[in-house]
Amino acid sequence: MSRKRAVVSLGHEALGYTTGAQRDAVRVTAGALADLVEENYQLTITHSNGPQVSMIHKAMTELRRVYIDYTPAPMCVCSAMSQGYVGYDIQNALRSELLARGISRPVSTILTQVTVDPYDEAFYEPTKVIGRYMTKEDAETELKKGNYVREYPDHKFRRVVAAPSPIDIVEIDAIRALVNDDQIVIACGGGGIPVIQQQHVLKGASAVIEKDSIAGKLAADLGSDELIIMTSVDCVYRDFGTENQTPVAAMTAEEAKEAMALGQFEAGTMLPKIEAAVAYLEKVHTGRVLITSISKGRDAVKGRAGTVITA
């Protein structure tokens, strides 16, 4: 019996917000992923990295402040660092969980770059907040470098970077080769390392890529049977957060588009997930999308929980 191929997108809840919390969280996440393996899924895993890349960026900036000879790490390098250490924790936790269940499957992390358009409109209106709170003087220094900052109450400032749309996954052939060999792959962590292609050279971009967006693209590029988005809620809701909140068990991609047009989904939370679902289904018409929480993953793939979106 052939395995179902699925791309699984993990949100912040799956990883925690600090190094210690991440180690604890991935043990729970590994259990949910192992449940899917036991349900005969072949997994390609991608994940968020917002708190992690922000922490790395803070650390590298402070290192530069203390040791003047150090060069601050650019965003692309911070993203690469976060891919490495988040992938390290997930692959080791999942490998251990599988072995404890008597399952021997290779699990590996691929450092993944994703090309973006240098003229993407997102570069002109950055929205993703990263790093530490800065003084006005530090903020002015960032502005002189050509970076963007956002002002908060009490005269505090933080840097903001662009979130451009992904174009191509550079290492897709390597990911596909491992998937075809029935291995479990962790790839495109944090949306992938954003790079700009200049002839044959890849140059890191000062940006981040929305992880749900890359999850939809990765699932489409691999021709996956399913895209499974694990988030902090058990399913999609209409009128979320109101007294009329209603769970949605199933919808079509067309119904999802109509709901988006009516403003049903909040930007930065559920909206990117629905957009990713629609983008994937427009490429893989026979696929399906599951949106649910980590704790409901196994029930969701059996049709007992979550929201199913189909073409």
Side-chain angles (χ1 to χ4, degrees), residues 8-12 15 45-50 52-53 76 78-80 82-83 86 110-116 128 162-171 175 186-195 205 207-218:
V8 179
S9 176
L10 301 174
H12 298 321
L15 302 176
I45 302 160
T46 189
H47 58 81
S48 64
N49 76 337
Q52 290 79 10
V53 76
C76 55
C78 293
S79 180
S82 73
Q83 277 194 15
V86 175
I110 293 185
L111 200 65
T112 316
Q113 302 173 94
V114 176
T115 58
V116 297
K128 294 290 186 178
S165 299
I167 298 176
D168 290 313
I169 299 169
V170 177
E171 288 76 21
I175 296 167
I186 302 162
C188 296
I193 303 164
V195 294
V208 295
I209 296 171
E210 172 62 54
K211 63 94 179 170
D212 291 314
S213 178
I214 201 63
K217 178 168 179 54
L218 180 61

Side-chain angles (χ1 to χ4, degrees), residues 250-258 278 281 308-311:
M251 68 172 75
T252 65
E254 196 58 39
E255 289 170 337
K257 289 180 186 178
E258 292 172 1
V278 171
L281 291 170
V308 176
I309 306 175
T310 57

Side-chain angles (χ1 to χ4, degrees), residues 118-188:
Y119 301 107
D120 191 303
E121 291 185 2
F123 282 107
Y124 303 100
E125 294 184 8
T127 58
K128 294 290 186 178
V129 180
I130 62 160
R132 63 185 177 89
Y133 284 102
M134 299 181 288
T135 64
K136 184 177 181 179
E137 290 74 21
D138 289 339
E140 289 174 349
T141 299
E142 290 297 326
L143 289 170
K144 289 177 181 177
K145 294 177 184 176
N147 295 326
Y148 291 81
V149 297
R150 178 179 296 174
E151 184 173 2
Y152 288 83
D154 300 325
H155 303 292
K156 292 182 179 179
F157 302 82
R158 291 183 73 185
R159 187 177 167 192
V160 289
V161 297
S165 299
I167 298 176
D168 290 313
I169 299 169
V170 177
E171 288 76 21
I172 190 64
D173 289 339
I175 296 167
R176 187 179 288 112
L178 292 174
V179 169
N180 289 341
D181 196 41
D182 200 28
Q183 298 193 34
I184 298 171
V185 185
I186 302 162
C188 296

